[in-house]
CSV table of all heavy atoms in Angstrom, one decimal:
chain,number,residue,atom,x,y,z
A,1,GLU,N,-48.0,132.2,68.2
A,1,GLU,CA,-49.1,131.2,68.5
A,1,GLU,C,-49.1,130.2,67.4
A,1,GLU,O,-49.5,129.0,67.6
A,1,GLU,CB,-50.4,131.9,68.7
A,1,GLU,CG,-50.6,132.7,69.9
A,1,GLU,CD,-52.0,133.2,70.1
A,1,GLU,OE1,-52.9,132.8,69.4
A,1,GLU,OE2,-52.1,134.1,71.0
A,2,ARG,N,-48.8,130.6,66.2
A,2,ARG,CA,-48.9,129.6,65.0
A,2,ARG,C,-47.8,128.6,65.1
A,2,ARG,O,-46.6,129.0,65.4
A,2,ARG,CB,-48.8,130.3,63.7
A,2,ARG,CG,-50.1,131.2,63.4
A,2,ARG,CD,-49.9,132.0,62.1
A,2,ARG,NE,-49.7,131.1,61.0
A,2,ARG,CZ,-49.3,131.5,59.8
A,2,ARG,NH1,-49.0,132.7,59.6
A,2,ARG,NH2,-49.2,130.6,58.8
A,3,SER,N,-48.0,127.4,64.8
A,3,SER,CA,-47.0,126.3,64.8
A,3,SER,C,-46.1,126.4,63.6
A,3,SER,O,-46.5,126.8,62.5
A,3,SER,CB,-47.7,125.0,64.8
A,3,SER,OG,-46.8,123.9,64.7
A,4,VAL,N,-44.8,126.0,63.9
A,4,VAL,CA,-43.9,125.9,62.7
A,4,VAL,C,-43.9,124.5,62.2
A,4,VAL,O,-43.2,124.2,61.2
A,4,VAL,CB,-42.5,126.3,63.2
A,4,VAL,CG1,-42.4,127.8,63.6
A,4,VAL,CG2,-41.9,125.4,64.3
A,5,PHE,N,-44.6,123.6,62.9
A,5,PHE,CA,-44.7,122.2,62.5
A,5,PHE,C,-45.9,121.8,61.8
A,5,PHE,O,-45.9,121.0,60.9
A,5,PHE,CB,-44.4,121.3,63.7
A,5,PHE,CG,-43.2,121.6,64.5
A,5,PHE,CD1,-43.2,122.3,65.6
A,5,PHE,CD2,-41.9,121.1,63.9
A,5,PHE,CE1,-42.0,122.5,66.3
A,5,PHE,CE2,-40.8,121.4,64.6
A,5,PHE,CZ,-40.8,122.1,65.8
A,6,ALA,N,-47.1,122.3,62.3
A,6,ALA,CA,-48.4,121.7,61.9
A,6,ALA,C,-49.0,122.3,60.6
A,6,ALA,O,-49.9,121.7,60.1
A,6,ALA,CB,-49.3,121.9,63.0
A,7,GLU,N,-48.4,123.4,60.1
A,7,GLU,CA,-49.1,124.0,58.9
A,7,GLU,C,-48.4,123.7,57.6
A,7,GLU,O,-48.7,124.3,56.6
A,7,GLU,CB,-49.1,125.5,59.1
A,7,GLU,CG,-49.9,126.0,60.3
A,7,GLU,CD,-50.1,127.5,60.4
A,7,GLU,OE1,-50.0,128.1,59.3
A,7,GLU,OE2,-50.2,128.0,61.5
A,8,GLY,N,-47.5,122.8,57.6
A,8,GLY,CA,-46.9,122.3,56.3
A,8,GLY,C,-45.8,123.2,55.8
A,8,GLY,O,-45.4,124.2,56.5
A,9,ASP,N,-45.3,123.0,54.6
A,9,ASP,CA,-44.2,123.7,54.0
A,9,ASP,C,-44.5,125.2,53.8
A,9,ASP,O,-43.5,126.0,53.9
A,9,ASP,CB,-43.8,123.0,52.7
A,9,ASP,CG,-43.2,121.7,52.8
A,9,ASP,OD1,-42.9,121.3,54.0
A,9,ASP,OD2,-43.0,121.0,51.7
A,10,GLU,N,-45.7,125.6,53.5
A,10,GLU,CA,-45.9,126.9,53.2
A,10,GLU,C,-45.7,127.8,54.5
A,10,GLU,O,-45.3,129.0,54.3
A,10,GLU,CB,-47.4,127.2,52.7
A,10,GLU,CG,-47.6,126.8,51.2
A,10,GLU,CD,-46.5,127.6,50.3
A,10,GLU,OE1,-46.5,128.8,50.4
A,10,GLU,OE2,-45.8,126.9,49.6
A,11,ARG,N,-45.8,127.3,55.7
A,11,ARG,CA,-45.5,128.1,56.9
A,11,ARG,C,-44.0,128.3,56.9
A,11,ARG,O,-43.6,129.4,57.2
A,11,ARG,CB,-45.9,127.3,58.1
A,11,ARG,CG,-45.5,127.9,59.4
A,11,ARG,CD,-46.1,129.2,59.7
A,11,ARG,NE,-45.9,129.6,61.1
A,11,ARG,CZ,-45.7,130.8,61.5
A,11,ARG,NH1,-45.7,131.8,60.6
A,11,ARG,NH2,-45.5,131.1,62.8
A,12,LEU,N,-43.2,127.3,56.5
A,12,LEU,CA,-41.8,127.5,56.5
A,12,LEU,C,-41.4,128.5,55.4
A,12,LEU,O,-40.4,129.3,55.5
A,12,LEU,CB,-41.0,126.2,56.3
A,12,LEU,CG,-41.2,125.2,57.4
A,12,LEU,CD1,-40.4,123.9,57.2
A,12,LEU,CD2,-40.9,125.8,58.8
A,13,VAL,N,-42.1,128.4,54.2
A,13,VAL,CA,-41.8,129.3,53.1
A,13,VAL,C,-42.1,130.8,53.6
A,13,VAL,O,-41.3,131.7,53.3
A,13,VAL,CB,-42.6,129.0,51.9
A,13,VAL,CG1,-42.5,130.1,50.8
A,13,VAL,CG2,-42.2,127.7,51.3
A,14,GLU,N,-43.2,130.9,54.3
A,14,GLU,CA,-43.5,132.3,54.8
A,14,GLU,C,-42.4,132.8,55.8
A,14,GLU,O,-42.1,134.0,55.7
A,14,GLU,CB,-44.9,132.1,55.6
A,14,GLU,CG,-45.3,133.4,56.3
A,14,GLU,CD,-46.5,133.1,57.2
A,14,GLU,OE1,-47.5,132.5,56.7
A,14,GLU,OE2,-46.5,133.6,58.4
A,15,LEU,N,-41.9,132.0,56.6
A,15,LEU,CA,-40.9,132.4,57.5
A,15,LEU,C,-39.6,132.6,56.8
A,15,LEU,O,-38.8,133.6,57.1
A,15,LEU,CB,-40.7,131.3,58.6
A,15,LEU,CG,-41.9,131.1,59.5
A,15,LEU,CD1,-41.6,129.9,60.4
A,15,LEU,CD2,-42.1,132.4,60.4
A,16,ALA,N,-39.3,131.9,55.8
A,16,ALA,CA,-38.1,132.1,54.9
A,16,ALA,C,-38.1,133.5,54.3
A,16,ALA,O,-37.2,134.2,54.2
A,16,ALA,CB,-37.9,131.0,53.9
A,17,VAL,N,-39.3,133.8,53.7
A,17,VAL,CA,-39.5,135.1,53.1
A,17,VAL,C,-39.3,136.3,54.1
A,17,VAL,O,-38.7,137.3,53.8
A,17,VAL,CB,-40.8,135.1,52.4
A,17,VAL,CG1,-41.2,136.6,52.0
A,17,VAL,CG2,-40.9,134.2,51.2
A,18,ALA,N,-39.9,136.0,55.3
A,18,ALA,CA,-39.7,137.1,56.4
A,18,ALA,C,-38.3,137.3,56.7
A,18,ALA,O,-37.9,138.4,57.2
A,18,ALA,CB,-40.5,136.6,57.6
A,19,ALA,N,-37.4,136.3,56.5
A,19,ALA,CA,-36.0,136.4,56.8
A,19,ALA,C,-35.2,136.9,55.6
A,19,ALA,O,-33.9,137.0,55.7
A,19,ALA,CB,-35.5,135.0,57.3
A,20,GLY,N,-35.9,137.2,54.5
A,20,GLY,CA,-35.2,137.8,53.4
A,20,GLY,C,-34.9,136.8,52.2
A,20,GLY,O,-34.2,137.2,51.3
A,21,LEU,N,-35.4,135.6,52.3
A,21,LEU,CA,-35.2,134.6,51.2
A,21,LEU,C,-36.2,134.7,50.2
A,21,LEU,O,-37.4,135.1,50.4
A,21,LEU,CB,-35.1,133.2,51.9
A,21,LEU,CG,-33.9,132.9,52.8
A,21,LEU,CD1,-34.0,131.5,53.3
A,21,LEU,CD2,-32.6,133.1,52.1
A,22,ASP,N,-35.9,134.2,49.0
A,22,ASP,CA,-36.9,134.1,47.9
A,22,ASP,C,-37.9,132.9,48.1
A,22,ASP,O,-37.4,131.8,48.5
A,22,ASP,CB,-36.1,133.9,46.6
A,22,ASP,CG,-37.1,133.9,45.4
A,22,ASP,OD1,-37.6,134.9,45.0
A,22,ASP,OD2,-37.3,132.7,44.9
A,23,ALA,N,-39.2,133.1,48.0
A,23,ALA,CA,-40.1,132.1,48.2
A,23,ALA,C,-39.9,130.9,47.3
A,23,ALA,O,-40.0,129.7,47.7
A,23,ALA,CB,-41.5,132.7,48.0
A,24,ASP,N,-39.6,131.1,46.1
A,24,ASP,CA,-39.4,130.0,45.1
A,24,ASP,C,-38.2,129.2,45.4
A,24,ASP,O,-38.2,127.9,45.3
A,24,ASP,CB,-39.3,130.5,43.7
A,24,ASP,CG,-40.6,131.0,43.1
A,24,ASP,OD1,-41.7,130.6,43.7
A,24,ASP,OD2,-40.6,131.8,42.2
A,25,ASP,N,-37.1,129.9,45.9
A,25,ASP,CA,-35.9,129.1,46.3
A,25,ASP,C,-36.2,128.2,47.5
A,25,ASP,O,-35.8,127.0,47.6
A,25,ASP,CB,-34.8,130.1,46.7
A,25,ASP,CG,-34.2,130.8,45.6
A,25,ASP,OD1,-34.4,130.4,44.4
A,25,ASP,OD2,-33.5,131.8,45.8
A,26,ALA,N,-37.0,128.7,48.5
A,26,ALA,CA,-37.4,127.9,49.7
A,26,ALA,C,-38.3,126.8,49.3
A,26,ALA,O,-38.1,125.6,49.7
A,26,ALA,CB,-38.1,128.8,50.7
């Protein structure tokens, strides 16, 4: 339900972390 577009960079950082990436790198 949550948008990948409307919530800004932190939403993408959250998804990057969920995929195993480091938050600071993202």
Side-chain angles (χ1 to χ4, degrees):
E1 291 189 12
R2 292 176 60 193
S3 172
V4 297
F5 302 104
E7 296 188 28
D9 289 352
E10 281 306 304
R11 172 65 166 146
L12 296 184
V13 171
E14 174 189 311
L15 294 170
V17 170
L21 296 176
D22 180 78
D24 288 339
D25 288 344

